[in-house]
C-alpha cells in the first residue's frame, strides 16, 4: 500500500525559511506540507518548485498568524477552502484517493484567543467525513501527550470525545521555547476522522529552524496522480518511420460516394495518423520528479551538524548548546543562500537567444509572470461551490452553454426578402494547394484539438497522404457536408486579468479545434479571398482580420478626423460601441441569410453545414465534460470564424454625415461640426439607424460600457446621446484598440499608461536585466528591444508629435531602464549610454517610424488608409487663441 507523507510545521514566518523548506522536502520526500504561522499577507507570494501552494492569511491582513499547504503538483487534489477567524485560521485541500477522498487541513490557533466547543466543532464539520487536520492548536492535554492541561485543551478534548474524532500525536514535545526557564511541551498534533489508527503514524523530526519541531505523518493510502498530457509525438519521433507507416496503410483507390463516407474517411485518417505517431515515438523514460535541486557535500554536512546540535540542546537545554545551535543554523542558511545564488547565476549565464531548450533566453523571460493564487472554488448558478475538477468543468460548460445562445429578438420585424448570390467560383482543390498550405500557413506551435493530431504531424505527411486528404477535401465541397468530428471543440478556461476568480463569467474560453479542420478552412479561405476582394464584400471601414490592415491605420483614421476638427475649429462627437459577446452571440439564422447573400452559390451548403450541429466540451485539469450543443456564435479558434463575423456585420449602416470605423467588433462612429449641438444631433440620428440594424440582427450593445466623447479644445458641456433609450456615459478619454485618446488629443494619458507598463515589465525582468545580473550586456539590450521597447513604440507614429514635455516622460522612463541595465554611475550622461548601446532616443525613433509608416500608407490596398499618407504630419497644432475662437463659434 502506498504511503502519503504529510508534514506539519509551525514556520513562525515561512518566507525566511524557503531554502530550508526546499531542502527538507527533497530529503524527506514529503508529499504534503501543512504550515502554520506563515506570516503572509496579500503582498507576499510563496512558491516552491513542483509544489502548489494554498494559503489563508490572518483576517486583519497583517503579517502574523495564517496557514498554508504545499502539495505535490502531480497529486490529484482540489482546494476546499479557507477558514479565517481571529481565533482560528485553516487552509484545507482534498486529495483524491483510490477508495475515499482524504481532506487535509493546516490549522493555527493563536494562544491569546479562547475557543469554545461550538467553534471547534464548526471548523471540524467543514472538513467532511474523512480528514486530518494538523497544526499548532496551542491546546494542551495529557490525552495527546502534553505535559499538562489548559482550558483550550480541555474544550478540544470534549469535542474529540463527543464527536467520534481521534488524535494523531507524536507523543513528544514539539514546542521548544527560546527561554530556557520554560518547559517544552506538545502542542503540534493532528485531529482525524475516518482514518484507521493502524494506518497512521506520527513522528517528530529534528529539522528546520523554528521554535517548533516538524511532525511527519504517514498515512497508508493510495493517492491518484495527475496523468501527464498525452503527446503523440516528441523530439525523439522517428519521422521516417512515421511516413513509411502512413504510406503502407493508406489506400490510393479509396472512394468517397456520400456524406456518411465523409465521416468514415475522417475517422480513418485520424486513426492512421495516431497509430503512425505512436509506433514511431519511443516511450518516455520516467525521471525522478521529486528531486528539486542537488546540494553539495558541505550543505549535507551542515544539515547533519544542525540536527545533532538540535538534539543536544533539546536534551540538556543548556545556553551554550543553544548558542552552538544558532551558529549552526546561521551557517546552514548562509550556505543555502550561496548555493541558490550560484545555481541562479549559472542558469542566467547559460541563457542564449539561439537556444530552444530550457536555457532559451526567451523562455526564461516569459516564465516570470505575475504570481496568481491557486485555483479557488467556482460558484455555480445555485450559489453553491464547485471545488473538484469535475464540478468546476461542469459549471464552466453550463455557463458556456448559456453563452452560446442567440440574443432574444427585440421586435417582430421579419428579415428582408432573401437575395441569393448566384455567382460561382472554382473550389476544386489540388494536392499542390494543400501541400503549400501545410508548409507555409500551418504554425507548428499551435495546440491540437481533442484528437491530439498536431501541425508537425501534418508537416511530415508523405505525398500519398496529401493526395488522400485532398480527395477528402473535395468530397466535403462536393457534398456540401462538413464532417461531424471536425465540429467538436475542446475548450480551456483562462482567467481574465483583474476578474473575480470565483465566477465562471470571469474566465475566457480558449477553443482548440482539430488541425485537419483548420487545414481545410485555410485552403477554402484562400479560394474565397480573391472573390471577396474583387467584389468588395468586406467594407473598406472594416480593418479587422484583414491582411495589411493594422490597428494603427484604423486609429489613424480617427485621430485624423479629430485633428481636422481642431484645425477647422469644429467639435468632433464620437461614439465608441461595446458589443456584448460579439462572436459568441452571432444569430445562425441571420448568418445563413448573409452567407446566401454575399458568398458564391456553390459554397452556401458547406458554410451552412459548417455552422450547424456544433458541439464543445470543457477540459479542466484532469477532467473533460461531455459534449454540449452550440446554438449561436461563430466557431472560436477557427480560420473561417472571423470571416463569417465580418460578413455578418458588413452591412452596418453608414452615412455621409459620419465616419464609421470598425476593427472586428470594436466600432467607433464620429461626426464633426462647428456647432456641438448639430454634431451631436447628426450622430444621434445615425445611432437610431444603427439601433434598428442591431435589433434586426439580434446584436446586443452594452450601453453602460459604451462611451460618448466630444473631442474639442473648448470646455463647453455637450448634450448627451442615448442608445436604445439609455443615455450613454460621457467621458473625457477612451481607449480604442489599445490607444488612449483624450478629448484634447494631448496624448498625456496614453504616455502615462505606457510609462507604467514599461516600469512593470522592467521590474518583472529585473532578475535578468538588472545591473547585478550576470547576463551578457548584449542579451540585456536584446531583451529591452524585443520586450520593453514595443510597449511604448506601439502607436508612436500617431502620438510621437505630442508636446516635448509629454515625450520627455517616455524618454526619462527609457533612460532609467537603460541605466539599470548598464549599472552606469550617476556621472555618466544618458546621451552616452544611448550611443554606446545603439538605442535611439524617443524623438529619433518617432521620426524613423513616422517616415516608414508614411511609405507604407502610400501603397496601402485600402483607399481609406492610403488617403492618410498626405495628412500625417509631424507638426503639432497651433493652439494659440484657439479656445477663444472655438468659444465664439460654439454660440
Amino acid at each position: 500500500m502506498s504511503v502519503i507523507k504529510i508534514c506539519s510545521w509551525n514556520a513562525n514566518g515561512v518566507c525566511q525559511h524557503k531554502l530550508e523548506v526546499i531542502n527538507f522536502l527533497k530529503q524527506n520526500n514529503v508529499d504534503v506540507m501543512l504550515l502554520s504561522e506563515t506570516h503572509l499577507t496579500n503582498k507576499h507570494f510563496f512558491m516552491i518548485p513542483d509544489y502548489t501552494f494554498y494559503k489563508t492569511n490572518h483576517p486583519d491582513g497583517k503579517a502574523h498568524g495564517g496557514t498554508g499547504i504545499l502539495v505535490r503538483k502531480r497529486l490529484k487534489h482540489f482546494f476546499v477552502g479557507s477558514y479565517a477567524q481571529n481565533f482560528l485560521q485553516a487552509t484545507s485541500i482534498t486529495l483524491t484517493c483510490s477508495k475515499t477522498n482524504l481532506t487535509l487541513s493546516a490549522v493555527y490557533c493563536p494562544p491569546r484567543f479562547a475557543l469554545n466547543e461550538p467553534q471547534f466543532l464548526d471548523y471540524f464539520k467543514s472538513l467532511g467525513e474523512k480528514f486530518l487536520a494538523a497544526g499548532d492548536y496551542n491546546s494542551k492535554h495529557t490525552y495527546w501527550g502534553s505535559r499538562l492541561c489548559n482550558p483550550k485543551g480541555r474544550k478540544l478534548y470534549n469535542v474529540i470525545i463527543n464527536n467520534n474524532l481521534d488524535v494523531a500525536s507524536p507523543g513528544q514535545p514539539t514546542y521548544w521555547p527560546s527561554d530556557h526557564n520554560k518547559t517544552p511541551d506538545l502542542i503540534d498534533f493532528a485531529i482525524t476522522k475516518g482514518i484507521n489508527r493502524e494506518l497512521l503514524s506520527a513522528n517528530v523530526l529534528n529539522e528546520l529552524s523554528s521554535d517548533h519541531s516538524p511532525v511527519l505523518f504517514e498515512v497508508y493510502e493510495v493517492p491518484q496522480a495527475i496523468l501527464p498530457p498525452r503527446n503523440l509525438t516528441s523530439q525523439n519521433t522517428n519521422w521516417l518511420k512515421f511516413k513509411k507507416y502512413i504510406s503502407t496503410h493508406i489506400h490510393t483507390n479509396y472512394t468517397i460516394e456520400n456524406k456518411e463516407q465523409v465521416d468514415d474517411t475522417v475517422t480513418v485518417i485520424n486513426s492512421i495518423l495516431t497509430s503512425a505517431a505512436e509506433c514511431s515515438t519511443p516511450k518516455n523514460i520516467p525521471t525522478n520528479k521529486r528531486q528539486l535541486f542537488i546540494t553539495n557535500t558541505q550543505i549535507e554536512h551542515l544539515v547533519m551538524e544542525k540536527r545533532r546540535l538540535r538534539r543536544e540542546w533539546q536534551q540538556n537545554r543548556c545556553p551554550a548548546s543553544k548558542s552552538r545551535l544558532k551558529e549552526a543554523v546561521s551557517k546552514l542558511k548562509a550556505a543555502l543562500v550561496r548555493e541558490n545564488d550560484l545555481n541562479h547565476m549559472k542558469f542566467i549565464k547559460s541563457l542564449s537567444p539561439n537556444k530552444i531548450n530550457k536555457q532559451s533566453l526567451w523562455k526564461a523571460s516569459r516564465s516570470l509572470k505575475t504570481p496568481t493564487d491557486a485555483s479557488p472554488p467556482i460558484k455555480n448558478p445555485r450559489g453553491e461551490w464547485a471545488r473538484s475538477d469535475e464540478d468546476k468543468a461542469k459549471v464552466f460548460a453550463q455557463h458556456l452553454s448559456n453563452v452560446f445562445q442567440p440574443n432574444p429578438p427585440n421586435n417582430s420585424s421579419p428579415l428582408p426578402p432573401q437575395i441569393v448570390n448566384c455567382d460561382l467560383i472554382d473550389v476544386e482543390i489540388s494536392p499542390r494547394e494543400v501541400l503549400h498550405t501545410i508548409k507555409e500557413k500551418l504554425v507548428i506551435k499551435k495546440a491540437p484539438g481533442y484528437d491530439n493530431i498536431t501541425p508537425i504531424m501534418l508537416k511530415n505527411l508523405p505525398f500519398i497522404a496529401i493526395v488522400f486528404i485532398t480527395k477528402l477535401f473535395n468530397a466535403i465541397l462536393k457534398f456540401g457536408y462538413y464532417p461531424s468530428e471536425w465540429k467538436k471543440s475542446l475548450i480551456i478556461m483562462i482567467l481574465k486579468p483583474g476578474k473575480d476568480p470565483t465566477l465562471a463569467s470571469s474566465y475566457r474560453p480558449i477553443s482548440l479545434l482539430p488541425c485537419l479542420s483548420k487545414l481545410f478552412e485555410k485552403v477554402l479561405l484562400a479560394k474565397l479571398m480573391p472573390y471577396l476582394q474583387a467584389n468588395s464584400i468586406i467594407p473598406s471601414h472594416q480593418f479587422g482580420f484583414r491582411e495589411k490592415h493594422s490597428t494603427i491605420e484604423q486609429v489613424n483614421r480617427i485621430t485624423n478626423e479629430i485633428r481636422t476638427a481642431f484645425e477647422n475649429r469644429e467639435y468632433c462627437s464620437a461614439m465608441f460601441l461595446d458589443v456584448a459577446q460579439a462572436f459568441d452571440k452571432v444569430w445562425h439564422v441571420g448568418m445563413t441569410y448573409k452567407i446566401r447573400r454575399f458568398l458564391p452559390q456553390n459554397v452556401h451548403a458547406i458554410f451552412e453545414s459548417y455552422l450547424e450541429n456544433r458541439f464543445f466540451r470543457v477540459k479542466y485539469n484532469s477532467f473533460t465534460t461531455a459534449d454540449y450543443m452550440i446554438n449561436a456564435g461563430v466557431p472560436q479558434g477557427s480560420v473561417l470564424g472571423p470571416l463569417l463575423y465580418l460578413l455578418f456585420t458588413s452591412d452596418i449602416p453608414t452615412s455621409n454625415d459620419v465616419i464609421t470605423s470598425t476593427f472586428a467588433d470594436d466600432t467607433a462612429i464620429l461626426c464633426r461640426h462647428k456647432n456641438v449641438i448639430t454634431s451631436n444631433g447628426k450622430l444621434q440620428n445615425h445611432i437610431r439607424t444603427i439601433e434598428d440594424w442591431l435589433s434586426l440582427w439580434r446584436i446586443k450593445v452594452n450601453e453602460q460600457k459604451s462611451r460618448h466623447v466630444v473631442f474639442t479644445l473648448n470646455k463647453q458641456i455637450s448634450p448627451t446621446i442615448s442608445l436604445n433609450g439609455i443615455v450613454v456615459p460621457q467621458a473625457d478619454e477612451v481607449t480604442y484598440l489599445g490607444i488612449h485618446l483624450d478629448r484634447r488629443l494631448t496624448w498625456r494619458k496614453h504616455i502615462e499608461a505606457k510609462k507604467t507598463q514599461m516600469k512593470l515589465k522592467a521590474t518583472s525582468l529585473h532578475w535578468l536585466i538588472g545591473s547585478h545580473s550576470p547576463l551578457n550586456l548584449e542579451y540585456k539590450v536584446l531583451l529591452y528591444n524585443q520586450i520593453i521597447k514595443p510597449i511604448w513604440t506601439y502607436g508612436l507614429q500617431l502620438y510621437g508629435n505630442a508636446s516635448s514635455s509629454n515625450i520627455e516622460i517616455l524618454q526619462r522612463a527609457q533612460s532609467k531602464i537603460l541605466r539599470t541595465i548598464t549599472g552606469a554611475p550617476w556621472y555618466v550622461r544618458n546621451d552616452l549610454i544611448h550611443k554606446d548601446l545603439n538605442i535611439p532616443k524617443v524623438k529619433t525613433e518617432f521620426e524613423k517610424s513616422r517616415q516608414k509608416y508614411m511609405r507604407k500608407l502610400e501603397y496601402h490596398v485600402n483607399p481609406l488608409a492610403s488617403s492618410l499618407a498626405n495628412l500625417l504630419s509631424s507638426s503639432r497644432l497651433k493652439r494659440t487663441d484657439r479656445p477663444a475662437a472655438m468659444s465664439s463659434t460654439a454660440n
Side-chain angles (χ1 to χ4, degrees), residues 311-351:
R311 286 194 299 268
E312 179 184 318
W313 174 73
Q314 289 175 353
Q315 290 173 1
N316 56 37
R317 302 284 288 168
C318 175
S321 298
K322 179 67 173 178
S323 298
R324 290 193 294 271
L325 175 60
K326 286 185 176 180
E327 184 179 356
V329 169
S330 298
K331 288 183 179 179
L332 176 59
K333 286 184 177 180
L336 288 171
V337 170
R338 287 195 302 270
E339 180 73 11
N340 184 66
D341 291 344
L342 181 61
N343 292 336
H344 187 71
M345 187 174 298
K346 287 181 179 179
F347 172 72
I348 292 179
K349 285 184 176 180
S350 67
L351 296 177

Side-chain angles (χ1 to χ4, degrees), residues 153 241 255 269 555 624 650 689 715 767 781 885:
K241 187 176 181 180
T255 59
I269 190 64
V555 178
T624 304
S650 61
T689 305
K715 296 182 180 180
W767 69 291
V781 175

Side-chain angles (χ1 to χ4, degrees), residues 2 52 167 290 311 729 815 848:
S2 298
T52 301
V167 178
R290 295 176 178 241
R311 286 194 299 268
S815 298
K848 177 183 175 181

Side-chain angles (χ1 to χ4, degrees), residues 343-502:
N343 292 336
H344 187 71
M345 187 174 298
K346 287 181 179 179
F347 172 72
I348 292 179
K349 285 184 176 180
S350 67
L351 296 177
S352 170
N354 301 320
K355 295 181 179 179
I356 59 175
N357 55 9
K358 63 180 181 180
Q359 275 76 40
S360 168
L361 178 64
W362 308 116
K363 288 187 178 181
S365 64
R366 289 195 301 265
S367 64
L368 192 67
K369 298 179 180 178
T370 303
T372 55
D373 291 333
S375 177
I378 306 295
K379 187 176 293 186
N380 63 23
R382 298 186 299 276
E384 301 170 347
W385 292 106
R387 294 183 169 88
S388 66
D389 291 349
E390 178 179 356
D391 292 339
K392 289 180 181 179
K394 290 180 178 178
V395 170
F396 285 131
Q398 187 59 51
H399 166 71
L400 292 178
S401 180
N402 296 332
V403 168
F404 298 144
Q405 301 291 337
N407 290 316
N410 292 332
N411 54 47
S412 57
S413 300
L415 293 179
Q418 178 70 72
I419 301 175
V420 178
N421 188 335
C422 297
D423 294 341
L424 300 175
I425 63 171
D426 178 23
V427 293
E428 182 74 19
I429 299 173
S430 66
R432 180 176 298 179
E433 291 173 314
V434 176
L435 185 61
H436 172 78
T437 304
I438 291 175
K439 289 184 178 295
E440 302 296 332
K441 300 296 181 66
L442 283 187
V443 181
I444 293 181
K445 294 183 179 180
K446 289 295 184 179
Y450 74 95
D451 56 5
N452 287 316
I453 295 176
T454 58
I456 195 171
M457 294 169 62
L458 300 185
K459 284 183 176 290
N460 284 276
L461 289 175
F463 188 73
I464 188 174
I466 300 296
V467 175
F468 187 87
I469 292 174
T470 304
K471 186 180 297 185
L472 170 63
F473 288 177
N474 285 320
I476 292 172
L477 294 171
K478 175 183 176 182
F479 298 113
Y481 174 75
Y482 207 79
S484 58
E485 291 298 309
W486 291 356
K487 298 180 184 182
K488 298 178 181 178
S489 60
L490 184 67
I491 293 181
I492 311 294
M493 305 298 290
I494 304 296
L495 180 64
K496 300 175 183 177
K499 297 295 185 178
D500 184 358
T502 63

